[in-house]
Amino acid sequence: MNYRFVLKHLGLLMGVLGASVLMISAVDWYCWPDRTVGGLAGIKALVATGLLGWLVAVVLLAFGRRADDYLGRREALLLVSISWVLGAALSGLPYFYGLFRSPKQCIRFVISMHATLRR
Amino acid sequence: MSGLTTTGATVLSDIHVLPKSLLLWRAMTHWLGGLGIVVLFVAVLPTLGVGGKRLFNVEAPGPSQPGVKPRIRETARMLWYIYCGMTLLQMLALMATGMDLFDAICHTFATLATGGFSTKNASAGAYTPAAQIVMIVFMVLAGANFGLYYHILQRQFKRFWRDPEFQLYLGILAVASLIVIGSLVGHNLVLTDGTVIEGSIANATLHGVFQVVSIQTTTGFGTVDSNLWSFLPKMTLLILMFIGGCAGSTGGGIKVVRILVGFKIFKAELERVFRPNVVRSIKVGKSVIDPQMRQAVIVYILTIMLIFAVGTITLVLLEQGNGIDIITAVTASAATLHNVGPGFSRVGAIENYGWFSSPSLVVMSLLMALGRLEVYALLVLFVPRFWRKP
């Protein structure tokens, strides 16, 4: 399996998705300005998601930087299925981020998760 | 997952509270997922070469078909040009009906991707009949094979109209619409915003056709609360969920061409019962369906039915504490597997999926992914031999 090729293209995909999120936040900021707490939280969530998408993209591209261009049937299947899973995870992140508008809430969530897992 | 797979099932009960930025992103996930995120890659990346065809075939909905252009990259590009062109057209058409730019963009993305996310709690029911008619037209277009539009651009109108799958698709929409309209006339209709209107022929036609088109194309927009309808129209909609759109469209479901091939195989087998020595080729249009394709179609339909049954049973088991009824479980499983969105009972047109427990939401997310990737692309990852060296 040509994993490097798969990682490289997953990196490109995350880069494109990250750019799409940032583009949407820029369009929203200029076309439908909403400077209320909720509106700003939405923009922050999108920008954070876009930047995280780019960060993941950089990491994946670094892992797949010396990939050869062979794409077999198995690589195609792996690339497509993982693309959708990763894409869905990144697309859902803005809503998830919306849950933690303050660091306190985030810490509380981590503590309760930890407690649940230990139980 | 619901956005990207163009399912449009939501866990949010009050969409108005979301900021516009998130509503726009929600609609954008539909639009990106509609034609396929990897198909976009095939269109723009020169490095993929021959492998692009493999990627295209894995992601494109429906049985693998010959591309409309000799090179797969050109095919993918052409599909995206058509998709973008139709997006612009629908946006302008919706704005001409009085819809504002933001709603026009979001609803265009959701319609052409056959997604179904709306910016209003009342879904498409919050808009004028003119806007709903525009949505009906574009939902029908989105549920057809995008390759056919290339023939229109080439002025090959006969190839467009004579496509057997497209003909059957329009036929099913027409018959189902007649059944639903017939059942609605004379009965009061409850709109998605709670308003009750009388079931005149005009109202029954508009809302009946809208609901039929929305469900068969697997978009999932709603203008009326179909949960309150009688058995016959509800059963019609449930069957339409399974049929879905055409191969090569943005719609989900089993796909019209598979249903067509499945029926032809059934007819041939029926004849073989009383004429065992007759050998007839099975054709769709002018092309003969080879035995390998026949087998693939039958296995696909069986696999989808098996996954649907397993999904239903799992939801019943996981939600026993929540008092789930069988109609909710059946339609939730079907609506997520076929990327429709709304079902009936507690997941009906004005309900949402927010009351399901987290394990059930994971199961339904998996069903959405299986439906969008047509099962195999995801299931092969669980086959140990897939990971071994050939």
Side-chain angles (χ1 to χ4, degrees):
Chain A
M1 183 86 78
N2 189 354
Y3 288 109
R4 281 181 187 273
F5 181 91
V6 175
L7 288 174
K8 179 181 153 189
H9 284 85
L10 282 176
L12 287 171
L13 172 85
M14 294 307 274
V16 170
L17 278 179
S20 306
V21 186
L22 291 173
M23 187 194 75
I24 288 289
S25 53
V27 167
D28 183 75
W29 182 262
Y30 287 107
C31 297
W32 299 284
D34 175 8
R35 307 293 187 255
T36 59
V37 177
L40 290 174
I43 293 285
K44 275 185 203 167
L46 287 179
V47 171
T49 304
L51 294 178
L52 185 71
W54 276 359
L55 183 71
V56 175
V58 168
V59 173
L60 289 170
L61 285 170
F63 276 115
R65 68 185 182 281
R66 273 192 297 253
D68 60 54
D69 280 345
Y70 172 73
L71 173 66
R73 207 169 171 73
R74 293 192 310 157
E75 284 83 359
L77 285 161
L78 186 65
L79 179 55
V80 169
S81 44
I82 301 291
S83 293
W84 281 83
V85 175
L86 267 185
L90 191 75
S91 308
L93 219 54
Y95 313 107
F96 192 68
Y97 180 83
L99 290 173
F100 314 118
R101 283 189 198 156
S102 70
K104 252 184 200 170
Q105 271 177 302
C106 185
I107 292 165
R108 216 175 292 151
F109 176 79
V110 174
I111 291 169
S112 62
M113 279 293 285
H114 185 65
T116 310
L117 290 174
R118 275 184 65 182
R119 216 179 292 155
Chain B
M1 189 59 91
S2 175
L4 215 55
T5 59
T6 75
T7 306
T10 183
V11 291
L12 304 167
S13 55
D14 191 8
I15 296 155
H16 287 130
V17 300
L18 278 184
K20 276 190 169 176
S21 51
L22 288 189
L23 289 174
L24 191 60
W25 173 243
R26 223 161 79 105
M28 183 74 176
T29 53
H30 271 338
W31 194 76
L32 285 172
L35 212 54
I37 38 178
V38 178
V39 170
L40 172 66
F41 259 54
V42 177
V44 294
L45 286 183
T47 55
L48 286 170
V50 185
K53 185 163 183 146
R54 290 205 173 102
L55 282 175
F56 189 90
N57 285 337
V58 169
E59 195 185 53
S64 60
Q65 314 162 58
V68 286
K69 288 264 198 177
R71 299 179 71 171
I72 205 71
R73 197 169 147 220
E74 289 171 20
T75 302
R77 266 190 191 175
M78 188 271 302
L79 290 176
W80 270 94
Y81 288 147
I82 291 171
Y83 195 50
C84 293
M86 282 168 72
T87 303
L88 194 65
L89 269 180
Q90 193 192 346
M91 221 185 297
L92 294 174
L94 285 177
M95 285 173 72
T97 66
M99 202 183 271
D100 66 49
L101 177 67
F102 181 79
D103 284 0
I105 292 174
C106 291
H107 284 86
T108 298
F109 285 174
T111 309
L112 283 177
T114 67
F117 277 155
S118 177
T119 53
K120 300 273 190 269
N121 285 339
S123 188
Y127 299 98
T128 59
Q132 291 167 2
I133 291 169
V134 169
M135 284 188 211
I136 290 174
V137 171
F138 280 92
M139 280 192 286
V140 172
L141 292 175
N145 189 337
F146 273 56
L148 288 178
Y149 303 133
Y150 177 73
H151 298 314
I152 291 187
L153 294 177
Q154 296 291 305
R155 296 178 179 275
Q156 296 169 334
F157 298 109
K158 274 186 187 171
R159 283 188 78 174
F160 178 77
W161 288 112
R162 286 187 180 167
D163 182 71
E165 186 188 21
F166 186 63
Q167 285 176 346
L168 181 63
Y169 168 65
L170 291 184
I172 295 169
L173 281 176
V175 172
S177 296
L178 285 176
I179 293 171
V180 172
I181 293 167
S183 314
L184 296 184
V185 173
H187 297 90
N188 282 347
L189 299 172
V190 181
L191 302 184
T192 42
D193 61 3
T195 318
V196 181
I197 56 167
E198 69 175 286
S200 63
I201 294 179
N203 283 342
T205 305
L206 175 64
H207 296 294
V209 171
F210 190 97
Q211 224 50 47
V212 163
V213 170
S214 173
I215 295 296
Q216 193 186 339
T217 58
T218 72
T219 309
F221 278 138
T223 56
V224 281
D225 187 0
S226 51
N227 227 358
L228 304 171
W229 292 358
S230 59
F231 174 77
L232 183 65
K234 274 162 89 168
M235 199 61 201
T236 309
L237 293 186
L238 184 62
I239 293 168
L240 294 179
M241 277 185 199
F242 281 85
I243 297 172
C246 297
S249 70
T250 57
I254 290 173
K255 303 286 175 312
V256 176
V257 72
R258 288 203 182 97
I259 300 290
L260 180 63
V261 173
F263 266 107
K264 291 203 170 190
I265 294 169
F266 173 71
K267 211 174 119 187
E269 286 301 311
L270 207 61
E271 189 181 5
R272 219 204 296 255
V273 174
F274 56 90
R275 283 183 186 157
N277 298 324
V278 166
V279 178
R280 261 190 237 285
S281 57
I282 292 175
K283 285 183 178 178
V284 171
K286 283 176 184 166
S287 36
V288 176
I289 305 296
D290 61 62
Q292 205 180 347
M293 178 70 91
R294 277 187 239 174
Q295 191 185 339
V297 167
I298 295 297
V299 170
Y300 181 80
I301 294 174
L302 284 175
T303 312
I304 277 288
M305 297 313 281
L306 183 71
I307 293 171
F308 159 68
V310 171
T312 305
I313 294 165
T314 311
L315 288 180
V316 169
L317 292 175
L318 290 174
E319 295 300 326
Q320 269 176 333
N322 261 334
I324 194 171
D325 58 289
I326 191 71
I327 297 173
T328 303
V330 165
T331 56
S333 176
T336 48
L337 178 62
H338 300 303
N339 305 133
V340 180
F344 293 118
S345 195
R346 288 176 72 186
V347 289
I350 58 165
E351 308 291 335
N352 62 71
Y353 287 73
W355 57 274
F356 278 102
S357 63
S358 300
S360 296
L361 292 176
V362 171
V363 169
M364 286 187 283
S365 300
L366 187 64
L367 289 176
M368 289 176 208
L370 283 169
R372 179 59 183 84
L373 292 178
E374 305 219 313
V375 180
Y376 301 119
L378 214 54
L379 282 190
V380 288
L381 302 187
F382 299 99
V383 178
R385 252 186 265 173
F386 175 80
W387 300 98
R388 285 181 210 140
K389 279 184 182 173

